Amino acid sequence: MNHRFKPQAPKPKQSSLIIGRQPLLEAMKNGKAIERIYMLKTASGDIIPQIRNQATELRIPINYVPVEKLNSLTQANHQGVVALAASVAYLDLQDVISHTVEKGETPLFLILDGITDVRNIGAIARSAVCCGAQAIIIPDRGIAALNEEALKSSAGALERISICRVNSLLKAIDELHLNGIKVVASEMESKQRLQDLPWREPVAVIMGSEDKGVYPALLKAADEQFHIPMQHNFESFNVSVAAGIILYEAMKQRLEA
């Protein structure tokens, strides 16, 4: 049996951590972008409910962890709470839709489902900016953190495109539909070809992970599915390459209009 070495995620830099209860609460109240909060399972006290309520309001995910996890992040007195500062600012999906339409642009969004490699996310963001997409929609769990490595892989593109973090991709699809935006999914088994879709319309594309593809419930919620034609019967494109091909086709059709 072949055993592949799975590298551990790099430890966050101390400068990217917000350590302690009051510092975290103040950071949230002052509008500091937070990637994720790690909280001791047994944390209690007057300020803990305030942190939870503020995190819920700002849609910041909380991971409830044992003390060993917090101690591995910092040797400082963490008081049962450590947060990871975000490298990008997260925006409200409806605000981004409204802003895009008000600028006179036709929405072209990406929905990322279960993509856990930061380099793929960085490469996708780079293609998205190059091809005129306005936003990337991500879930608050099950996806790689948009950290410094992701920013580096994107060549700065993650700072030039709107990032919308939602607690449910299904609810995000409902919101897109309410705004007249069609949702399509890349699916190898689909009979419809990429180039046959009307990419000039407002559209959001679901991109799934390379090992599991698009989550079945999201496929069901999509308006249409399509495949990328290939010359040979090979496994599939890398997800970031596939996203680049899809976005280029959308840009080409829009430029020809």
Side-chain angles (χ1 to χ4, degrees), residues 5 29 39 43 51 54 83 94 123 145 169-170 186 202 217 234 249:
F5 172 71
K29 288 181 176 179
M39 182 178 290
I51 291 174
Q54 193 77 9
Q94 183 59 60
L169 290 180
L170 284 171
S186 176
F234 192 63
E249 176 63 28

Side-chain angles (χ1 to χ4, degrees), residues 96-109 132-135 181 200-202 254:
V96 171
I97 295 170
S98 299
H99 182 64
T100 301
V101 173
E102 286 167 5
K103 288 197 299 180
E105 297 180 3
T106 302
L108 175 59
F109 297 168
Q134 300 96 350
I181 299 173
R200 298 171 188 175
E201 298 178 2
R254 292 178 178 210

Side-chain angles (χ1 to χ4, degrees), residues 201-222:
E201 298 178 2
V203 64
V205 188
I206 308 173
M207 301 298 303
S209 64
E210 291 187 45
D211 54 342
K212 297 180 181 178
V214 177
Y215 185 62
L218 297 178
L219 274 179
K220 187 176 180 181

Side-chain angles (χ1 to χ4, degrees), residues 125-137:
R126 190 170 181 173
S127 294
V129 171
C130 288
C131 295
Q134 300 96 350
I136 294 174
I137 303 166

